[in-house]
Amino acid sequence: MEHVDRCVVLVDAGYLLGAAASLLAGEPARSRITVDHAALIQGLRDRAEADTERPLLRIYWFDGAPDRVPQPEHRRLRVMPRVTVRLGALTRSDGRWAQKGVDAAMHAELTELARNRACSDVVLVTGDGDLLPGLMSAKEHGVAVHLWAVQAADGDYNQSEDLVAEADERRVLDRVWITRAVRAKELTGICAPPPAPRPEIAAILSAPLPESALAATAAAERAEADRTAAHVRNGTPAEAARTAPENGVAAAAAAAGPGSPGIKGVPTPKDLAGLRGPVPPADRQPVGATLRWSSDKGWIERPGGGNGALGEPPETASLPTLAQLTSAEQRWADREEDITTVGGDPFEVGQVFARRWMERLPDPSHVQKLSTMYPRIPHRIDGELLRYAARFGLLAHKDDQIDEHDRYAIRAGFWREIDVRAAAEHAPAPE
């Protein structure tokens, strides 16, 4: 049986992108570069078909991922035409990330393609000498092996010499070719600064608290100071010490929910000292209430008083979750869309979730109701949003929590869609 006249490309992503980072940014860290994966795949296809003079069968993209969970870039790649993603493990040891199982997977794929005579030419984009036995096996099965290297930053080889010697053909992907799809991130100063948040994220982080909430918190602080002073005057300083941390700002911080940007948003007494405007007297504040630093404004009743569980305010409880609005058929369609069209960028994930939620609402007024709660998303909806985001590998695998910056990006995408819909519904009708 003769080989089919077509070519296959096997890409070691760790080598390709690491070498590109060394060439363009001076170090092999992939975090130092940005990649246009669509342009990169198209470039690989065009170059392979030109070099081998054979049509492409498929590009295999081999990469590592924590716990083999596809990352956003893998989700984008695996739905591209003629691309198959194969993932090995990505482990961290002595402060460095290392791929496990990628070389073995490439070796197995290479020998299987050659044994089954699935192609006449194989393009290998790798530098690892561990692939030498697979390369030799493919040659013995009559496959022509083309070895591609990324131009080395120092002008020397960045591939195994044995691998270079055994290849039938060798090409170098130079700086001009690489920069069509890969570029170095711009850095300032000696150290790389953290990525600048989108304007929407910055707005969420810096959103001012409602004046009513600040005034109420100021009143709570004053009332607590009066109570503490009274305890001291009555000779019960120990009771004062036990009581003070359980009220005011401390209680507000402790009550922070999963939708909260964090207790850094809770004003301190020093912050509150400069507040202008009238402050409600302490005797007019709800008994047993606390400021909930999450998705809701103002004071809410705490059922049972004391340290009981926080109740759900009526305006939040009336908002349905996406799960409550989704039928079994829609759930299946959602999964299909997630697999085929949603790339997994945190901002995009938040947008997709918000669009689905709004499209299925039986009462459009819920959108306006939610928009008044900006920037804090109600607990139940926020938790559902983050669980949805976890499907896309947006987890810091150290503790199975979504990275803080990604959480802000997810919520910013959610609010962008809510704001667009709310603004459209408020727009005056054309005459």
Side-chain angles (χ1 to χ4, degrees):
M1 182 175 65
E2 293 185 358
H3 288 95
V4 178
D5 287 337
R6 54 193 179 189
C7 66
V8 170
V9 181
L10 305 184
V11 179
D12 178 350
Y15 165 77
L16 173 59
L17 300 182
S22 293
L23 177 64
L24 302 180
E27 59 180 273
R30 287 161 64 171
S31 60
R32 295 290 305 275
I33 57 175
T34 57
V35 184
D36 182 341
H37 289 91
L40 182 58
I41 291 299
Q42 189 61 50
L44 289 169
R45 177 172 187 166
D46 293 344
R47 181 71 179 263
E49 291 182 336
D51 279 9
T52 65
E53 300 181 347
R54 302 284 188 272
L56 177 76
L57 170 63
R58 189 173 299 116
I59 295 175
Y60 289 89
W61 185 272
F62 295 87
D63 203 0
D67 298 335
R68 290 185 167 87
V69 176
Q71 300 300 293
E73 65 182 90
H74 303 136
R75 298 183 64 86
R76 287 191 291 273
L77 283 162
R78 68 185 185 181
V79 297
M80 293 180 184
R82 303 293 181 117
V83 176
T84 294
V85 175
R86 296 279 188 260
L87 294 179
L90 190 63
T91 59
R92 192 171 181 85
S93 177
D94 297 328
R96 300 181 63 184
W97 289 100
Q99 295 182 158
K100 300 292 183 183
V102 171
D103 295 335
M106 289 188 71
H107 178 278
E109 199 70 58
L110 176 58
T111 55
E112 194 70 12
L113 288 167
R115 185 181 299 115
N116 291 324
R117 300 179 178 272
C119 59
S120 58
D121 296 74
V122 168
V123 174
L124 295 179
V125 187
T126 185
D128 199 327
D130 290 345
L131 205 59
L132 182 62
L135 185 155
M136 297 174 67
S137 175
K139 290 175 62 178
E140 290 170 0
H141 283 88
V143 174
V145 180
H146 305 251
L147 183 65
W148 289 0
V150 175
Q151 178 183 338
D154 55 8
D156 200 356
Y157 284 132
N158 52 15
Q159 291 178 307
S160 160
E161 291 187 12
D162 291 336
L163 207 62
V164 172
E166 280 292 330
D168 295 306
E169 303 283 349
R170 182 172 183 266
R171 297 287 185 272
V172 176
L173 304 176
D174 60 18
R175 180 186 295 268
V176 173
W177 190 93
I178 290 294
T179 52
R180 293 172 185 168
V182 183
R183 64 180 179 84
K185 292 181 179 177
E186 295 181 3
L187 302 178
T188 57
I190 299 175
C191 299
R198 293 179 174 87
E200 295 82 7
I201 302 174
I204 288 179
L205 295 178
S206 62
L209 292 165
E211 292 184 5
S212 59
L214 290 172
T217 306
E221 288 294 321
R222 294 182 183 181
E224 183 53 40
D226 292 342
R227 283 193 292 270
T228 302
H231 283 305
V232 173
R233 285 196 301 271
N234 295 332
T236 56
E239 177 63 20
R242 286 194 299 269
T243 304
E246 296 175 0
N247 295 280
V249 173
S260 173
I263 60 174
K264 63 184 179 183
V266 179
T268 63
K270 182 179 179 181
D271 297 328
L272 293 167
L275 283 176
R276 294 192 298 269
V279 178
D283 58 2
R284 293 171 64 182
Q285 297 162 9
V287 178
T290 185
L291 187 62
R292 187 175 181 178
W293 293 89
S294 58
S295 307
D296 310 300
K297 298 177 180 180
W299 292 86
I300 62 170
E301 294 295 336
R302 185 192 298 193
N307 294 319
L310 287 171
E312 189 81 12
E315 66 273 16
T316 300
S318 64
L319 295 175
T321 62
L322 180 59
Q324 293 170 334
L325 300 170
T326 303
S327 66
E329 292 78 9
Q330 287 173 322
R331 191 171 296 112
W332 182 88
D334 289 347
R335 293 294 286 179
E336 283 290 301
E337 182 182 10
D338 290 344
I339 292 170
T340 58
T341 63
V342 181
D345 173 78
F347 190 79
E348 178 193 14
V349 167
Q351 289 181 298
V352 171
F353 183 93
R355 282 197 296 268
R356 289 177 183 169
W357 184 77
M358 290 186 293
E359 288 168 358
R360 296 167 192 174
L361 283 174
D363 183 357
S365 67
H366 285 315
V367 176
Q368 296 298 334
K369 184 180 298 183
L370 178 61
S371 68
T372 64
M373 300 178 184
Y374 177 88
R376 295 171 176 84
I377 305 172
H379 288 302
R380 292 176 302 121
I381 296 176
D382 187 68
E384 190 180 38
L385 169 61
L386 296 182
R387 286 192 298 273
Y388 170 66
R391 297 180 191 174
F392 296 89
L394 297 172
L395 294 176
H397 291 268
K398 176 183 177 182
D399 53 5
D400 287 335
Q401 296 295 317
I402 296 178
D403 176 78
E404 182 180 22
H405 186 271
D406 285 346
R407 288 202 306 272
Y408 287 136
I410 292 164
R411 290 168 178 147
F414 177 90
W415 280 119
R416 163 59 69 85
E417 291 301 306
I418 298 296
D419 291 345
V420 168
R421 178 67 64 85
E425 293 178 355
H426 263 82
E431 297 180 358

